Amino acid sequence: MKPIQVGLLGIGTVGSGTFHVLQRNQEEIRRRAGRGIEITMVADLDVARARSVVGDQVQVVNDARAVIANPDIDIVIELIGGYGVAKSLVLEAIAAGKHVVTANKALLAVHGTEIFAAASAKGVMVAFEAAVAGGIPIIKALREGLTANAIQWIAGIINGTTNFILSEMRDKGLDFDVVLKEAQRLGYAEADPTFDIEGVDAAHKATLMSAIAFGIPVQFDKAYVEGITKLSAADIRYAEQLGYRIKLLGITKRAANGIELRVHPALVPAKRLIANVEGAMNAVMVQGDAVGTTLYYGKGAGSEPTASAVIADLVDIARLHTADAAQRVPHLAFQPDEMSDAPVLPMSQVVTSYYLRLSVSDEAGVLARVTGILAGAGISIDAVLQREADEVGGEGSTHTDLIILTHDTVEGTMDRAIAEMQALPTVLAPITRIRKEELA
Ligand code: HSE
């Protein structure tokens, strides 16, 4: 059978990796796919750079629309990123009857409903393994490998930049700002790291996993998003003393009254495997009712790890593109007319446990007043840690840190209790609250 022809939009880090891995492993890939897969056309604004990657055998243009208009191209790979021109190009490729492979989590998390509907109407596939956790085949696992299960929850370290920063903060006892600068110097963090450090990138990925796990539409606008910028070295140290590590988690969970979808730093027991995922690595835990707990680990970014996911999608399309569209794996795992309308819950209805750090006057009755407020709210305390005032504020200090771990409670109840504790004159600074996930 003649090779399937692929057009590539954007040949930066991931595009180059895709080209090289396809070339290097072409024979094995052909034996798996049942036919060859060839990138025959590349569009990039930097034509010279593109040419230096692909040589003279591949047509290079600076106009992405020329690729979409080429009738010989069967699959378009979109590696431009962002919501702007990438959205128009993906929709135009679909309208032209091309299958699309993309690593663009932002685009799909925000505009996925429109894009998947357009693809279904046209009978083409939009594949996005590379959009979540880079080289880890988590989309394949959720959509196909775990298809027998009622998924109960997913919790993932799905942003390598923030995991690198948190690992460095813990290892070196440094504060966030210092480590961020170092991460930028080493090239681990982007010059503008906002999407990573504010949790937005992780929320895009969690949104996609949530849709696939629970058969709900992609709803990035409903995700709760909190990054790592406010974490201090002190909190990481206290967590460690209590047997926990702090990780930025993307969590989605089936609850009685809806679906939780949230990204925030969380204390995780140090003995869990996922708590020991260090540096820029990614890991995703999935709990299914039949399979129990599963864990997927690997590189969440980088040229060839991400190319690995892109090419897996190309192979799927090469195998399935002649199949009846109704027989293909649905974009979001569930048939489009079988989607659930379970609501994504507001954060005030989420149930979890908490780490609280209160800077308090070191005087009689303070602990009793604080615990009295928690008891009054029906919040059960799991552990309390109080450091000596000298250790916290230096010799002769009159204030200290009070650390409280709670059992599960509803976030709205915790919000009210925190407001009440904050109003105590003996509470001297804004209370730090970090959620705690046992992941048992
Ligand atoms: N910037 C992401 C990360 C990789 O740090 O994991 C691409 O989503």
Side-chain angles (χ1 to χ4, degrees), residues 113 207 210-211 215-219 332 339-342 344:
T113 301
T207 298
S210 182
I216 58 171
V218 285
Q219 296 169 76
L332 293 177
M339 299 298 276
S340 159
D341 59 3
V344 174

Side-chain angles (χ1 to χ4, degrees), residues 103 105 130-131 133-134 158-162 188 190 196 201 205 280 282 300-302:
K105 67 271 330 182
I158 43 180
N159 183 269
T161 305
T162 45
Y188 281 102
E190 309 271 349
D196 291 320
D201 175 73
K205 296 166 183 169
N282 281 201

Side-chain angles (χ1 to χ4, degrees), residues 7 46 58 68 94 103 160 180 192 202 208 243 245 265 268 307 322 431 440:
D46 189 340
V58 174
I68 294 169
I94 291 168
L180 174 62
D192 179 0
L208 291 171
R245 299 214 173 140
V268 178
T322 53
I431 296 171

Side-chain angles (χ1 to χ4, degrees), residues 224-227 231 235 239 244-249 251 253 260-269 346-357 404-412 414-415 418 432-439:
Y224 173 80
V225 190
E226 181 184 318
L231 285 178
D235 291 317
Y244 291 86
R245 299 214 173 140
I246 299 181
K247 295 291 183 188
L248 182 73
L249 293 184
I251 297 173
K253 196 181 276 191
E260 296 181 7
L261 174 54
R262 48 195 170 100
V263 169
H264 51 72
L267 273 74
V268 178
M347 206 54 198
S348 60
Q349 290 181 31
V350 161
V351 175
T352 187
S353 53
Y354 295 86
Y355 159 103
L356 304 174
R357 175 168 56 84
I404 299 174
L405 299 185
T406 76
H407 289 297
D408 275 356
T409 188
V410 178
E411 176 120 345
M414 180 52 86
D415 289 342
I418 288 177
T432 297
R433 167 246 303 268
I434 307 174
R435 298 168 189 89
K436 178 162 80 67
E437 297 292 330
E438 291 297 328
L439 304 180

Side-chain angles (χ1 to χ4, degrees), residues 118-396:
S120 296
K122 197 72 189 176
V124 297
M125 289 174 266
V126 174
F128 54 97
E129 183 65 71
V132 181
I136 304 175
I138 189 64
I139 300 298
K140 190 86 165 176
L142 285 171
R143 202 161 55 176
E144 299 176 52
L146 299 177
T147 198
N149 289 263
I151 305 286
Q152 291 157 329
W153 53 261
I154 300 173
I157 295 172
I158 43 180
N159 183 269
T161 305
T162 45
N163 202 51
F164 173 82
I165 292 173
L166 292 177
S167 299
E168 289 288 292
M169 286 173 72
R170 185 176 75 85
D171 283 352
K172 301 184 177 156
L174 297 171
D175 269 317
F176 170 78
D177 295 336
V178 179
V179 178
L180 174 62
K181 283 205 184 73
E182 180 67 359
Q184 284 173 310
R185 197 182 62 77
L186 293 171
Y188 281 102
E190 309 271 349
D192 179 0
T194 313
F195 265 30
D196 291 320
I197 62 178
E198 296 294 356
V200 177
D201 175 73
H204 287 146
K205 296 166 183 169
T207 298
L208 291 171
M209 291 197 291
S210 182
I212 290 173
F214 303 118
I216 58 171
V218 285
Q219 296 169 76
F220 173 70
D221 57 333
K222 304 269 174 59
Y224 173 80
V225 190
E226 181 184 318
I228 63 167
T229 55
K230 297 194 179 69
L231 285 178
S232 71
D235 291 317
I236 290 175
R237 199 173 56 245
Y238 288 140
E240 192 95 18
Q241 290 167 8
L242 289 158
Y244 291 86
R245 299 214 173 140
I246 299 181
K247 295 291 183 188
L248 182 73
L249 293 184
I251 297 173
T252 186
K253 196 181 276 191
R254 188 193 297 270
N257 45 351
I259 304 294
E260 296 181 7
L261 174 54
R262 48 195 170 100
V263 169
H264 51 72
L267 273 74
V268 178
K271 63 187 177 206
R272 298 270 178 271
L273 280 175
I274 197 168
N276 294 280
V277 171
E278 300 288 8
M281 300 303 281
N282 281 201
V284 183
M285 284 178 89
V286 183
Q287 171 92 9
D289 68 335
V291 74
T293 308
T294 57
L295 176 66
Y296 309 82
Y297 170 83
K299 289 185 178 158
S303 177
E304 294 205 356
T306 312
S308 167
V310 168
I311 295 168
D313 282 344
L314 294 177
V315 171
D316 269 356
I317 293 174
R319 287 178 181 140
L320 289 172
H321 83 125
T322 53
D324 185 331
Q327 303 305 318
R328 296 183 192 139
V329 183
H331 293 115
L332 293 177
F334 291 74
Q335 299 297 336
D337 58 353
E338 295 285 349
M339 299 298 276
S340 159
D341 59 3
V344 174
L345 297 173
M347 206 54 198
S348 60
Q349 290 181 31
V350 161
V351 175
T352 187
S353 53
Y354 295 86
Y355 159 103
L356 304 174
R357 175 168 56 84
L358 294 81
S359 175
V360 294
S361 311
D362 190 16
E363 60 185 75
V366 172
L367 180 60
R369 277 194 288 279
V370 167
T371 55
I373 289 172
L374 291 171
I379 298 170
S380 171
I381 293 172
D382 181 24
V384 176
L385 176 72
Q386 186 175 338
R387 308 313 301 174
E388 286 188 25
D390 286 0
E391 196 186 313
V392 175
E395 206 174 314

